[in-house]
Amino acid sequence: MRRSPETDNENPQETALLTAIAAWQAGTIPRESLVAQFTGISREEGQLIQQVITSLIQHAPASAEAKSPDRSTNEWRAELMDSRARAWAHPASAGLLVGPEVLILTDGRQGISLRPTRVWVLNSSVSASLLLLCQTIVMADHALNAQELGKLRQQRIESTSSSLSEIEPLP
């Protein structure tokens, strides 16, 4: 994705993300800085992620669509199993998977796999599956957090009631 985002008519947030991606691929910023920019986008700004995906696809080299990266199924499985996920919704759905080596952006219709050295355009069926994976990971995380919160509340209630029962009334 070596290009100058200033030449396109994008919104400032999109330009900032595209500039950060180019900087990461050029080795001038660390990957976690790029990930932090993506995770800083509110969950209601899925359309911004869709715009970034579209721009990346438009500027991807023609060879980026020709064949998949030279990785085995087991390598991709390991990459996905070690991923962290982020999902955006309303008014548009989008997802980000951050694997050990790859960043994947998808909106369910189109997607892109980013590595420091190359861009790979995902087909629509893979994009849809990866968006579902992002959403599932995020929903499971929220469910676990809610379950843990419920356990902590119950523990507090139980400890408070046992503490209160130990207080002796005045005669």
Side-chain angles (χ1 to χ4, degrees):
M1 197 216 91
R2 314 265 187 236
R3 68 184 189 90
S4 174
E6 295 80 22
T7 61
D8 295 341
N9 294 327
E10 295 136 355
N11 72 43
Q13 286 180 299
E14 180 183 356
T15 300
L17 288 169
L18 292 170
T19 300
I21 291 168
W24 170 64
Q25 289 183 319
T28 58
I29 67 167
R31 187 169 88 133
E32 285 307 313
S33 294
L34 174 60
V35 172
Q37 286 194 26
F38 276 107
T39 57
I41 298 167
S42 78
R43 296 195 191 277
E44 291 75 37
E45 293 188 78
Q47 77 281 356
L48 174 60
I49 304 304
Q50 286 182 335
Q51 292 167 354
V52 168
I53 293 167
T54 300
S55 288
L56 289 168
I57 290 171
Q58 288 173 350
H59 295 92
S63 62
E65 299 179 52
K67 64 181 187 114
S68 65
D70 305 336
R71 299 188 81 183
S72 72
T73 302
N74 288 337
E75 289 172 320
W76 273 112
R77 183 179 297 119
E79 184 80 29
L80 292 175
M81 292 303 292
D82 288 339
S83 291
R84 297 173 287 155
R86 173 72 185 254
W88 290 269
H90 307 299
S93 294
L96 167 69
L97 283 169
V98 179
E101 297 180 34
V102 176
L103 298 178
I104 298 171
L105 289 168
T106 179
D107 67 8
R109 291 176 287 112
Q110 56 187 4
I112 198 132
S113 171
L114 300 169
R115 295 178 69 110
T117 57
R118 77 173 171 205
V119 173
W120 178 48
V121 178
L122 305 173
N123 66 41
S124 60
S125 63
V126 170
S127 295
S129 295
L130 291 173
L131 178 59
L132 183 58
L133 177 62
C134 289
Q135 292 168 334
T136 302
I137 291 169
V138 170
M139 285 186 335
D141 186 55
H142 287 302
L144 287 174
N145 288 343
Q147 187 178 28
E148 286 300 314
L149 184 60
K151 285 180 186 177
L152 291 172
R153 283 184 185 147
Q154 186 60 36
Q155 288 174 351
R156 190 179 76 215
I157 290 168
E158 289 171 4
S159 69
T160 301
S161 65
S162 63
S163 298
L164 291 175
S165 65
E166 294 171 9
I167 299 173
E168 294 185 28
L170 290 173

